[in-house]
Amino acid sequence: MKVGVVGGGIAGALLALRLRREHGAEVEVFTLGPSTPDASGVSGGLVRGYERDPAASRLAALGLAELRDSPELLEWTGYRETGSVYLLPPDAGPPDLTAVRELLPGSAEVVDAAEAARRYGFAGGDGATAVVERHAGFLSPAGLRERALDWLARNGATVRESRVERVGADTVTAGGTGRRYDAVVVAAGAWTGRLAPGEWRTKQIQFGVYRVELPGLAVFVDDVTGLFGRPWAQGEFLLGLGCDRWDVDPERVEVDTAHAEDVTAAVLRRFGVRPEPVRAVASCDGYGPPGGLRLRVEGGVRTFAGGSGGSVKTVLAASRVAARQLAA
Ligand SMILES: Cc1cc2nc3c(=O)[nH]c(=O)nc-3n(C[C@H](O)[C@H](O)[C@H](O)COP(=O)(O)OP(=O)(O)OC[C@H]3O[C@@H](n4cnc5c(N)ncnc54)[C@H](O)[C@@H]3O)c2cc1C
């Protein structure tokens, strides 16, 4: 089987890796290359098993279990197991920990808002419960992508830095030249809507690096304020907030200057300390139909996209499922 994969972010790179390594497919990957920054190159890399959507949680937990068991993936990703806390809003209902308990035994516990405040410094008392995970942390999506593409180039696959102009069910046109495959998959993140039909949108994601001490805190998501973060370096934290800039051009993303002020206000409210901004990072991701990162077909064109700001967590398991579906 010969497959053309359009996109060399973590989605395209991991799908191509699975196809080549686990199914023996001939694979050609197309990418815009490092001169065109993508989400995988700057992503925060937070990973955990718990997600509010049970299907996403199963993929995230499967991926994390595979990562923790694989010396190769541990090396490729530089995974740091710091633990994680996910603060839920009061109306969230009891968290579904089925997948985490099954796939990462002993990792997760649920604590109430008072305990989350005592352990991690969350002030305000407006969270309901928090999911605390031992087996969670952060990794380098850029490292994972680079090592996967490198493996592909050394093991019989082709990685082309070439802008694809058009795709069909079994054709890719790049640089005016058409190529034919048994199957073509668009895994182009925020660019997916330019090449494939369907309800694809883009949304800005932004975080900053801040000088701040947040004792006891490692990877965290505060689903009440929208704040998320992880340790960055000694005395520094990566901190972000949900951003509502939609339909941005992935090649013209600009830092939203109000974001740093909003992060400062949220951190003051939550932790009672003022973070000092060091630098800001902005990019965007592809948002697709519900269901997250998975293989879809619309108008005869296959896509593996729609991570909606969270593909680092799900890509290991989702790429395995997608490769199996393609091979079948
Ligand atoms: C700032 C930021 C922080 C994030 N933090 C987290 C996090 O902590 N945890 C988490 O789980 N997720 C996080 N995410 C989300 C996650 O990083 C993304 O979902 C993921 O990186 C998307 O990968 P991708 O391969 O789908 O897309 P991308 O990484 O954007 O890759 C798209 C690829 O398509 C290629 N391409 C596009 N058009 C063409 C064309 N015409 N021809 C050839 N190639 C083309 C590009 O060159 C690129 O290689 C974050 C995202 C951002 C932006």
Side-chain angles (χ1 to χ4, degrees):
M1 179 174 64
K2 189 171 176 187
V3 186
V5 176
V6 182
I10 47 171
L14 267 291
L15 177 64
L17 183 85
R18 301 291 197 194
L19 284 166
R20 179 84 196 123
R21 195 183 233 183
E22 294 167 19
H23 300 281
E26 265 186 72
V27 185
E28 286 196 345
V29 179
F30 293 83
T31 167
L32 300 177
S35 58
T36 307
D38 58 16
S40 302
V42 296
S43 175
L46 280 68
V47 288
R48 58 181 174 269
Y50 174 68
E51 286 291 292
R52 288 180 67 179
D53 167 24
S57 185
R58 178 154 292 275
L59 289 176
L62 270 168
L64 198 46
E66 181 188 1
L67 169 68
R68 295 182 74 255
D69 274 352
S70 161
E72 182 186 58
L73 286 175
L74 288 170
E75 202 232 316
W76 285 12
T77 60
Y79 173 63
R80 295 265 311 276
E81 188 154 284
T82 59
S84 154
V85 55
Y86 194 125
L87 191 71
L88 290 159
D91 60 357
D96 182 345
L97 292 176
T98 314
V100 184
R101 292 207 162 118
E102 180 190 323
L103 297 157
L104 298 161
S107 180
E109 62 169 325
V110 178
V111 301
D112 64 20
E115 181 62 11
R118 195 188 64 74
R119 285 193 206 176
Y120 306 106
F122 287 110
D126 50 1
T129 50
V131 176
V132 176
E133 288 171 87
R134 209 150 57 84
H135 301 320
F138 59 90
L139 53 76
S140 164
L144 174 60
R145 173 258 297 282
E146 195 179 307
R147 299 298 291 275
L149 290 182
D150 182 56
W151 185 95
L152 285 161
R154 285 186 291 103
N155 287 277
T158 308
V159 180
R160 291 183 197 283
E161 271 182 36
S162 177
R163 187 179 286 264
V164 169
E165 290 128 27
R166 246 185 352 269
V167 297
D170 56 4
T171 54
V172 169
T173 306
T177 306
R179 292 186 170 79
R180 196 165 276 283
Y181 303 88
D182 297 312
V184 170
V185 184
V186 179
W191 288 263
T192 299
R194 293 188 182 179
L195 294 165
E199 287 175 30
W200 301 103
R201 293 187 75 183
T202 65
K203 189 178 172 197
Q204 184 152 334
I205 305 179
Q206 188 168 326
F207 63 73
V209 175
Y210 294 81
R211 257 188 290 281
V212 65
E213 297 292 342
L214 296 170
L217 206 59
V219 164
F220 77 93
V221 174
D222 171 0
D223 235 353
V224 181
T225 61
L227 203 58
F228 62 87
R230 70 158 168 92
W232 181 264
Q234 185 66 35
E236 291 182 347
F237 239 80
L238 174 163
L239 294 164
L241 261 183
C243 194
D244 61 0
R245 288 187 169 191
W246 284 92
D247 304 319
V248 291
D249 179 337
E251 286 166 61
R252 285 191 182 76
V253 184
E254 285 174 9
V255 166
D256 176 0
T257 47
H259 183 267
E261 289 158 30
D262 295 345
V263 168
T264 300
V267 173
L268 260 172
R269 172 182 161 201
R270 257 306 176 229
F271 302 106
V273 289
R274 180 179 290 278
E276 194 187 316
V278 176
R279 69 184 179 92
V281 173
S283 180
C284 69
D285 201 6
Y287 284 64
L293 181 66
R294 65 188 170 89
L295 193 68
R296 296 182 170 85
V297 192
E298 186 158 343
V301 178
R302 291 181 191 81
T303 53
F304 182 58
S308 307
S311 291
V312 178
K313 290 179 282 288
T314 55
V315 71
L316 283 175
S319 59
R320 175 163 274 168
V321 174
R324 210 179 288 141
Q325 289 169 339
L326 277 164

